[in-house]
Amino acid sequence: TICSKFILYNYAKILEQEGQKAEAYKFNVRAAKWGQIVENGRAPAKDEGHIEASYYAGGYLWDFEQSEANRKKGRENREKYNAVPLLEYAARMGHAGASFLLWSIYSNGYESGGKFSITRNLWKARRHLQAAADAGHLEAAEILKSKNSGKA
């Protein structure tokens, strides 16, 4: 729950950096409300803004390029590893884009050279591709269609 507030605030920062101040303000308000709900001991309701923030934050972390300085020091790129739980949450809540990105992640896996690897898992990949198609993701539906007809 603190993590949820953190996700919303960080997504707001990303939006601010991209010059989308009005959208960033909305996510800052959501983060503040999320914090109040949790502090009052109530479970928060399913919030579309929170799901979207999880998807965008996860996608941002997955695409995050590790700095050259950290690469030279041999530090692992943990951002990719941290992206998966955010994307999994959004996918569980029915986000088609998150499911589609997870299909790609699990289809290919990720090897960091350390303990932050993501194992290739074709079963999970197929499940996420199907979920993305079921949620209306057109590209996922096309991929499934071609796989089922034996073209891919």
Side-chain angles (χ1 to χ4, degrees):
T1 46
I2 290 173
C3 180
S4 302
K5 186 176 176 180
F6 173 78
I7 291 166
L8 292 167
Y9 276 131
N10 280 318
Y11 184 55
K13 285 181 190 176
I14 293 166
L15 289 170
E16 283 177 15
Q17 291 170 354
E18 293 176 353
Q20 299 180 40
K21 294 192 184 290
E23 235 4 71
Y25 175 77
K26 290 179 193 175
F27 278 93
N28 275 321
V29 169
R30 283 190 182 120
K33 286 181 181 176
W34 187 272
Q36 287 173 340
I37 289 169
V38 171
E39 286 167 14
N40 291 335
R42 293 182 292 138
K46 182 176 168 183
D47 180 341
E48 288 299 318
H50 178 64
I51 295 165
E52 196 72 8
S54 295
Y55 166 65
Y56 281 111
Y60 174 79
L61 289 172
W62 185 257
D63 290 336
F64 183 81
E65 288 299 320
Q66 188 177 24
S67 73
E68 189 63 32
N70 281 342
R71 214 173 293 127
K72 285 180 181 176
K73 292 177 185 175
R75 292 185 182 152
E76 295 178 78
N77 190 353
R78 296 177 186 181
E79 283 76 12
K80 289 190 183 302
Y81 184 79
N82 292 330
V84 174
L86 296 171
L87 294 168
E88 288 281 2
Y89 168 77
R92 274 194 313 278
M93 295 296 120
H95 196 287
S99 292
F100 190 72
L101 183 51
L102 285 165
W103 163 73
S104 176
I105 291 168
Y106 286 122
S107 291
N108 300 304
Y110 174 72
E111 182 60 47
S112 70
K115 66 179 182 176
F116 294 104
S117 298
I118 297 166
T119 306
R120 185 174 185 225
N121 186 323
L122 297 179
W123 181 83
K124 279 186 176 182
R126 176 67 179 214
R127 187 173 53 99
H128 283 295
L129 184 62
Q130 185 65 58
D134 292 346
H137 196 284
L138 298 178
E139 191 174 351
E142 284 298 315
I143 292 169
L144 274 175
K145 186 177 172 183
S146 68
K147 285 182 181 286
N148 290 337
S149 67
K151 293 180 183 173

